Amino acid sequence: MKTDIQIAQEAVLEPITEVAKQLQISEDELELYGKYKAKISDDIMEKIKDNPDGKLILVTAINPTPAGEGKTTTSVGLGQAFGKLGKKAVIALREPSLGPCFGVKGGAAGGGYAQVVPMEDLNLHFTGDFHAITSANNLLAAMLDNHIQQGNELQIDTRSVVWKRCLDMNDRVLRNVVVGLGAKTDGVVREDHFVITVASEIMAVLCLADDMKNLKERLGRMVVAYNYEGMPVTAADLKAVGAMAALLKDALKPNLIQTLEHTPAIVHGGPFANIAHGCNSVRATKTALKMADYVITEAGFGADLGAEKFMDIKCRMAGLAPDAVVLVATVRALKYNGGVPKTELNKENMDALQRGIVNLEKHIENLQKYGVPVVVTLNSFVTDTEKEISFVRDFCEERNCEFAISEVWEKGGEGGIALANKVLDTLEHKESHFKVLYENDLSLKEKIEKVAQEIYGADGVDYAPAAVKQLKKLEELGFGKLPVCMAKTQYSLSDDPSLLGRPKDFRINVREVYVSAGAGFVVVLTGAVMTMPGLPKNPAAFNIDVDENGVITGLF
């Protein structure tokens, strides 16, 4: 059986100028990055701004398991299937992060015969967006420490610096560091920290900004520290906005590539869904909606994280409203949720399926709270039995969900036609009455508890003493009307990754709260979630190589 990278390398790609013609974009309107990648210019976005919007379809999933769910694969395959049916569709996805690519998760280009290409470019440096974000983040950090060194006119309390440096790599030893060691001219000694680039607030800001003017406004609002009186110091106070914006000028423009079947794919931005808001950029989604009749986008990890933040943060801020949601599951993952070890998942096990399907049930209930029609799709494996598939189909239809099998990994767009037809039927016959889960005027605690109880199924929330003080301070500073961005493990509906299925009788533990004032939300850290991941004992990097002809192997 061919690997994903073999399939991608054997594909015959169309020049990106030809792919762009599907969207009525001329070569002169693209900013080319070689033959197969391009940035969509501001001129195009201005030209299409009055076009009617297409239908917005969100792809999400049950909680991820080692068995795999295939959310991006489904998104890509569904876009290809729309193409097979003669529909004008665009896929809008996030860019992969280097950290997980070399760690354990791998890339984010889809899989099998439902991939976006060039796969190696996308999973590695792509068009340099993440490097630009890393540079802007660390420029601000350098200007902050330089300000302190040069007399500290803003009276920054070095014990209250909240801006962290970043790196697009999983590197646990950088989580907690000391800077400024050495001579007096080497800076003021203080504790500092690194986050992975996808957790940088600049990533969130870039993905929520409407245009350059809005980007600069958001950059300026970012809180970098507090002064000795406890008041926030911002990037605008440090006079860093213009230089950061210059670094981000090109990164703000969405990227255009293609699928294996030449369906246009706009891939832009990539905030993590467990520690940030987990969606591709607002600019990419809005641009896609003006270019196509159907836009397939996705949100990171399970629906309890990515979909919740897509609805309550991205849609709220950008004025977007999804017309339908595709919820991805696999028989294998449901059995894993039912307590079957990974080595036993190939065997039919109706008892385990019945125990594990409660995870799917909770996600269906959650999505229906937003008033959007839901289509459940089972990403097909050859080991699935008809009895198992029938059980899942009946379970979904009893809960007012459409159901379809997806075979896109094996068959590409052809394998997604059943799903595409279900989605089209749903769009035609079921109206979306989208609404957010909570209103802005609730207190921060009320918002946190609403998500914890209604989405996660928790009995309540426990706050560390530090978190209680932070919440009070943020309310006093005027940040209480912002939405909350819950930072939680992706592996469970709870904040304990070992609790599979549909946990009951648990509470969410909030250990820290801080504001991302530029992005426009309050981040709530729960459980033991990390903003700088580490590499596993046997990282994917062990298997990645390049031969003397420049052919990369081992990416997945």
Side-chain angles (χ1 to χ4, degrees), residues 113-295:
Y113 289 91
Q115 294 187 62
V116 281
V117 283
M119 180 261 219
E120 305 99 313
D121 293 18
L122 176 62
N123 280 321
L124 298 178
H125 303 286
F126 200 30
T127 57
D129 293 346
F130 282 22
H131 298 308
I133 290 164
T134 303
S135 299
N137 183 101
N138 294 339
L139 170 65
L140 180 56
M143 292 180 74
L144 168 64
D145 279 307
N146 185 60
H147 180 90
I148 295 167
Q149 172 74 5
Q150 303 289 357
N152 199 5
E153 183 184 338
L154 294 169
Q155 293 293 288
I156 292 167
D157 184 348
T158 55
R159 300 161 302 178
S160 299
V161 172
V162 294
W163 191 256
K164 300 174 174 66
R165 288 167 162 81
C166 76
L167 185 73
D168 191 25
M169 196 55 62
N170 293 2
D171 195 349
R172 62 171 58 82
V173 302
L174 294 178
R175 287 172 189 158
N176 305 292
V177 297
V178 176
V179 296
L181 294 173
K184 187 176 180 180
T185 54
D186 294 325
V188 174
V189 177
R190 66 176 185 85
E191 184 179 349
D192 200 3
H193 312 272
F194 275 76
V195 297
I196 192 166
T197 296
V198 288
S200 166
E201 186 179 351
I202 293 180
M203 176 67 82
V205 161
L206 183 106
C207 288
L208 291 168
D210 292 319
D211 50 31
M212 178 56 78
K213 180 174 180 288
N214 185 237
L215 175 71
K216 290 168 78 171
E217 289 169 356
R218 288 175 176 274
L219 290 171
R221 292 199 300 265
M222 295 189 309
V223 175
V224 298
Y226 293 87
N227 65 19
Y228 289 115
E229 294 179 357
M231 299 305 291
V233 177
T234 66
D237 294 331
L238 288 171
K239 302 183 176 67
V241 174
M244 286 192 293
L247 284 169
L248 297 169
K249 177 179 72 75
D250 292 326
L252 184 61
K253 298 169 185 172
N255 308 293
L256 180 66
I257 52 174
Q258 64 190 289
T259 72
L260 290 172
E261 297 177 14
H262 317 307
T263 307
I266 299 177
V267 185
H268 192 222
F272 263 13
N274 55 351
I275 47 184
H277 72 284
C279 311
N280 67 293
S281 76
V282 166
R283 290 195 102 198
T285 303
K286 286 188 170 181
T287 300
L289 285 167
K290 296 296 184 185
M291 289 179 166
D293 298 323
Y294 302 95
V295 174

Side-chain angles (χ1 to χ4, degrees), residues 396-464:
C396 295
E397 290 174 350
E398 286 166 10
R399 285 154 183 80
N400 193 30
C401 284
E402 298 297 325
F403 175 88
I405 294 288
S406 170
E407 299 176 293
V408 297
W409 184 88
E410 181 187 1
K411 300 177 181 177
E414 194 69 37
I417 287 176
L419 173 58
N421 281 325
K422 278 291 184 197
V423 171
L424 288 168
D425 189 59
T426 298
L427 291 171
E428 188 174 339
H429 295 107
K430 290 188 179 181
E431 199 171 335
S432 176
H433 301 283
F434 172 68
K435 60 183 185 297
V436 291
L437 185 71
Y438 55 81
E439 298 306 321
N440 289 333
D441 56 6
L442 293 182
S443 71
L444 292 174
K445 266 194 173 183
E446 287 173 320
K447 291 168 187 167
I448 292 166
E449 285 157 16
K450 188 100 169 165
V451 175
Q453 292 171 344
E454 293 209 26
I455 301 299
Y456 307 155
D459 294 337
V461 180
D462 296 324
Y463 300 89

